[in-house]
Amino acid sequence: MFINCRGNLIDLSEPKVMGIINITPDSFFEGSRKQTDKEILSSTEKMLKEGASFLDIGAYSSRPGAQDISEEEELERMIPKLKLLEQHFPEVNFSVDTFRSRVAKEAVENGAAIINDISAGNLDAQMIETVASLKVPYIMMHMKGTPQTMKDLNQYEDLTADILFYFSEKISAARKAGIKDIIIDPGFGFAKNIAQNFELLNKLDLFKNLELPFLAGLSRKSLIWKTLNSTPEDALNGTSILNTIALNKGASILRVHDVKEAMECIKLTGELNNYV
């Protein structure tokens, strides 16, 4: 499976790592928050040296219960930092984490190569058409409600079947609009409780039926640290364990705070699979 990022074909038949850079003051993992230019450039350089194929830039915190900010504030946070990154790392495939079509458009105009939308178009009716017109890969995630309301919207008839049906409809709409490169994100932690997150991970291989690459975003999330009675800061080992499970179930991209450790998961899992 290949995706086209600004004319470069990237092979996702071998798993890749997407590093997280949050230019927000309130993301759930304090270690991911990067505010100054120096912090952002240093973190980017480190993740690239460690092997990241993509870097995901977020200016809107989507953790459960996060404060809503305006489109203007999101743009004021995002665009100057994206310009800075594009100036220093022009060859890098930057993904922009946004559910707003205007932010997506301005981000791509300023160097972004991928749009990563937590709502798969549900929070902005113009998003699907906008991404199609921008001709960039689109990561569509499963979520119900908004970051402010999703915690109470975790009722399902059949969790995995409901999410697969959701994606079948979203993929159809995206294809109809003309989006060529689609990546699926089942949305760990979004409108799902801890038990549901583990159920979803256990059945993650069913997403191969969609015949599209899928992304696993498990890094330091509460299903790890709450289960271990720990904190996000102490959740790296648990992240590596669940990332390894996700890889064995077919994940094409690991979206992580810790690139080096994720690359090690990919290398070791790949060696193991050589002997299957």
Side-chain angles (χ1 to χ4, degrees):
M1 286 184 272
F2 292 85
I3 59 170
N4 186 334
C5 290
R6 300 194 293 187
N8 298 313
L9 291 179
I10 297 175
D11 184 3
L12 294 182
S13 61
E14 293 187 4
K16 301 292 188 288
V17 171
M18 174 178 282
I20 300 169
I21 297 178
N22 288 318
I23 49 176
T24 54
D26 57 343
S27 295
F28 79 90
F29 174 48
E30 186 175 351
S32 73
R33 303 173 197 164
K34 308 299 175 186
Q35 298 291 294
T36 69
D37 289 359
K38 183 178 179 180
E39 287 177 329
I40 290 168
L41 292 173
S42 175
S43 182
T44 298
E45 184 175 22
K46 179 176 183 288
M47 288 183 175
L48 292 172
K49 284 182 177 178
E50 290 175 347
S53 296
F54 314 100
L55 291 176
D56 194 41
I57 317 300
Y60 182 108
S61 177
S62 56
R63 64 176 174 79
Q67 181 181 355
D68 186 32
I69 65 169
S70 69
E71 185 176 85
E72 286 69 27
E73 186 172 352
E74 185 179 357
L75 283 166
E76 286 172 8
R77 289 179 181 177
M78 172 68 70
I79 300 305
K81 303 307 185 188
L82 193 55
K83 287 180 176 179
L84 174 76
L85 288 167
E86 179 68 8
Q87 177 186 349
H88 285 81
F89 304 99
E91 303 303 316
V92 174
N93 293 310
F94 290 107
S95 164
V96 164
D97 183 355
T98 186
F99 56 80
R100 291 167 166 151
S101 59
R102 181 183 163 202
V103 177
K105 184 174 185 296
E106 293 198 24
V108 172
E109 288 171 351
N110 285 280
I114 301 171
I115 297 301
N116 180 11
D117 178 6
I118 60 171
S119 80
N122 281 345
L123 296 180
D124 186 333
Q126 302 303 313
M127 180 62 100
I128 299 287
E129 290 183 9
T130 298
V131 173
S133 70
L134 295 170
K135 302 186 187 309
V136 294
Y138 185 44
I139 302 171
M140 51 168 62
M141 194 186 80
H142 174 269
M143 179 180 72
K144 296 200 294 187
T146 69
Q148 293 74 38
T149 64
M150 63 183 178
K151 185 173 68 173
D152 300 318
L153 299 175
N154 58 0
Q155 296 79 35
Y156 301 90
E157 288 188 22
D158 181 318
L159 177 71
T160 308
D162 288 359
I163 296 173
L164 286 168
F165 180 73
Y166 168 97
F167 280 126
S168 68
E169 290 190 324
K170 291 295 182 183
I171 293 164
S172 177
R175 292 292 192 216
K176 186 175 180 181
I179 298 176
K180 297 187 183 303
D181 295 320
I182 300 170
I183 298 163
I184 299 304
D185 179 351
F188 289 101
F190 288 79
K192 302 165 191 75
N193 61 32
I194 290 175
Q196 289 167 335
N197 284 312
F198 279 106
E199 178 185 350
L200 183 59
L201 179 59
N202 191 42
K203 297 180 179 178
L204 195 61
D205 52 334
L206 294 177
F207 286 84
K208 293 177 185 176
N209 294 326
L210 296 172
E211 298 183 340
L212 289 170
F214 58 88
L215 176 154
L218 292 152
S219 185
R220 297 182 182 267
K221 286 189 173 176
S222 63
L223 78 156
I224 300 168
W225 57 267
K226 286 185 177 179
T227 299
L228 299 175
N229 193 26
S230 182
T231 66
E233 287 70 28
D234 293 324
L236 177 54
N237 184 52
T239 296
S240 294
I241 292 167
L242 297 195
N243 277 341
T244 301
I245 294 169
L247 289 168
N248 280 327
K249 290 183 176 291
S252 298
I253 299 174
L254 299 178
R255 182 180 180 273
V256 300
H257 302 92
D258 309 279
V259 171
K260 175 178 176 287
E261 289 79 2
M263 291 295 297
E264 289 174 351
C265 291
I266 289 173
K267 184 171 185 178
L268 293 171
T269 302
E271 284 297 314
L272 181 65
N273 290 336
N274 285 337
Y275 298 94
V276 173

